[in-house]
Amino acid sequence: MNVFSYIIQLGASVMMPILFTLIGLIIGMKFGKSLKSGLYVGVGFVGLGIVTSLLTTNFNAPLSNISELYQLQLNIFDMGWPAAAAVAYNTAVGALVIPVCLGVNLLMLLTKTTRTVNIDLWNYWHFAFIGAVAYFVMGESLFWGYFAAIICYIITLVSADLIAGKFHRYYENLDTISIPQPFCLSFVPFAIVIDKVLNLIPGFNKLDIDAEGLKKKFGVLGEPLVLGVIVGLLIGVFAHQNLKGILFLGITMGAVMELIPRITKLFIDGLMPISEKTKELIDKRFHGRKIFIGMSPALVIGHPTTLVVSLLLIPTALVVAVILPGNQFLPLASLAGMFYLFPLVLPITNGNVVKTYLIGLVAIVIGLYFVTDMAPDFTMAANEVYKATGDSAAKIPEGFDGGALDFASSLFGWTIYKLTCYVKYVGPTVLVVLTLGMMLYNRRQIIADESQSL
């Protein structure tokens, strides 16, 4: 437990370069090339952290001002992903979630129930989080904590396989990659259903505008950089900032929109040599069997459509949170994670800005209710972790409950939490049957695909 806790505390920017260097050496790459790949990934995480902090550091105060100025009475404090990760890893479940889940992954590869090798170790906190909440709700039960985490892990691996074909067709040069991150995958069901419904509306296809089409239609106003500046300026105006503050927020938001695609290129530069070598090794050792490398969605969040829709949804999420009946959560710190909602939605909507925005809107509305519903148990878990460890990330201000859009708002997280903790016997049974069914279906797909390729 101490070993894995120490590794996690290194952070993604340190842990991932070490991991990728080791993976490169294991698959036969030279040390220098392995190290360079690992460092590119590490630098990418550093850059992404800097850009994310630009949003949280500079926009939290203006957004809080908006809440006070317009007397918004929402009593669930947005803790952001650091609190969720602190709850996740500072428990008995979180401490061993990596080796336990890697063992499950290996077993699934051997039984051909998945094609994905999930090396996105940093994002294992998502599985640990849902396990940690179940652990506390069920009276500090390790059994139920690991049950929830493993169920989430298996469903995530299978879902990553099932969407991989569309992912490969949409994103170029990533045909050996899958995205086994449950927050991203949770929005795929919404995307499939809403996309089909929208296709039934006569004339809707005429609104088929991707990010490039937006640029052509609106000229410079369709550029993510310019849209970012406009949204930043508007937030400054509504927060009653002075002229200097308004202009600063505009430039800062524009900088975020421009820097994210440049930073995500570092992830691709670091990953591609390892991906190509892995494909070569798999072709040689597994006779052409398809194996996907499970990676962070940070690889593709720089896509123009993701940037544009995320930007439009940030002010939308604030308005929706205020007017939504029964909602008690105002997203502030979590808004930096908005970009991660769309990496696996775009392959379904084919980058259509209008469809993607509507899917995001539905996901946010439902997600706010999920966060509101989970808040009491999130708060209990965070308080227990803070008492035991003193970790400031888990400290919730007095008079508030705690919450976060990051994973607490996802379909996977909320459903597994609810069925495990509040639907006795029937809920866990449903989860086991669903999980086994998905595994068997995926195995059938894998075997059929391998038979065709022989």
Side-chain angles (χ1 to χ4, degrees), residues 246-280:
I246 292 170
L247 294 175
F248 177 75
L249 291 178
I251 296 298
T252 301
M253 185 67 89
V256 170
M257 294 298 110
E258 186 66 21
L259 289 172
I260 284 179
R262 296 171 187 264
I263 290 167
T264 55
K265 186 178 181 300
L266 289 169
F267 288 103
I268 295 171
D269 289 344
L271 179 69
M272 288 316 295
I274 289 177
S275 178
E276 288 166 4
K277 185 66 178 179
T278 303
K279 188 175 187 302
E280 180 187 316

Side-chain angles (χ1 to χ4, degrees), residues 192-394:
I192 292 171
V193 172
I194 296 169
D195 183 69
K196 287 184 177 179
V197 170
L198 292 175
N199 285 338
L200 296 175
I201 300 173
F204 193 86
N205 284 338
K206 292 179 182 178
L207 297 173
D208 187 9
I209 303 172
D210 60 11
E212 290 302 316
L214 205 64
K215 290 180 190 177
K216 291 176 184 175
K217 196 171 184 68
F218 296 101
V220 70
L221 292 177
E223 293 276 357
L225 168 61
V226 178
L227 283 171
V229 172
I230 292 170
V231 170
L233 293 173
L234 289 173
I235 290 173
V237 169
F238 282 107
H240 291 190
Q241 301 281 296
N242 57 30
L243 181 61
K244 179 184 174 182
I246 292 170
L247 294 175
F248 177 75
L249 291 178
I251 296 298
T252 301
M253 185 67 89
V256 170
M257 294 298 110
E258 186 66 21
L259 289 172
I260 284 179
R262 296 171 187 264
I263 290 167
T264 55
K265 186 178 181 300
L266 289 169
F267 288 103
I268 295 171
D269 289 344
L271 179 69
M272 288 316 295
I274 289 177
S275 178
E276 288 166 4
K277 185 66 178 179
T278 303
K279 188 175 187 302
E280 180 187 316
L281 189 67
I282 289 167
D283 288 342
K284 184 179 178 182
R285 299 287 176 88
F286 292 89
H287 309 291
R289 182 181 169 188
K290 284 184 185 175
I291 301 290
F292 304 138
I293 309 299
M295 269 301 299
S296 167
L299 276 172
V300 292
I301 62 166
H303 191 282
T305 300
T306 291
L307 296 176
V308 168
V309 177
S310 299
L311 185 66
L312 295 175
L313 268 180
I314 287 173
T316 304
L318 296 172
V319 173
V320 168
V322 172
I323 65 174
L324 202 61
N327 173 57
Q328 290 296 309
F329 178 71
L330 182 68
L332 296 173
S334 294
L335 291 176
M338 191 73 73
F339 305 100
Y340 291 92
L341 198 155
F342 301 108
L344 297 176
V345 171
L346 298 192
I348 293 166
T349 63
N350 201 31
N352 184 315
V353 171
V354 179
K355 283 184 178 180
T356 306
Y357 175 81
L358 292 174
I359 290 165
L361 180 58
V362 172
I364 288 295
V365 168
I366 296 173
L368 289 172
Y369 283 125
F370 286 166
V371 176
T372 298
D373 181 69
M374 193 186 284
D377 289 332
F378 181 99
T379 303
M380 177 187 66
N383 287 340
E384 290 296 325
V385 166
Y386 181 69
K387 266 193 273 181
T389 66
D391 190 333
S392 59

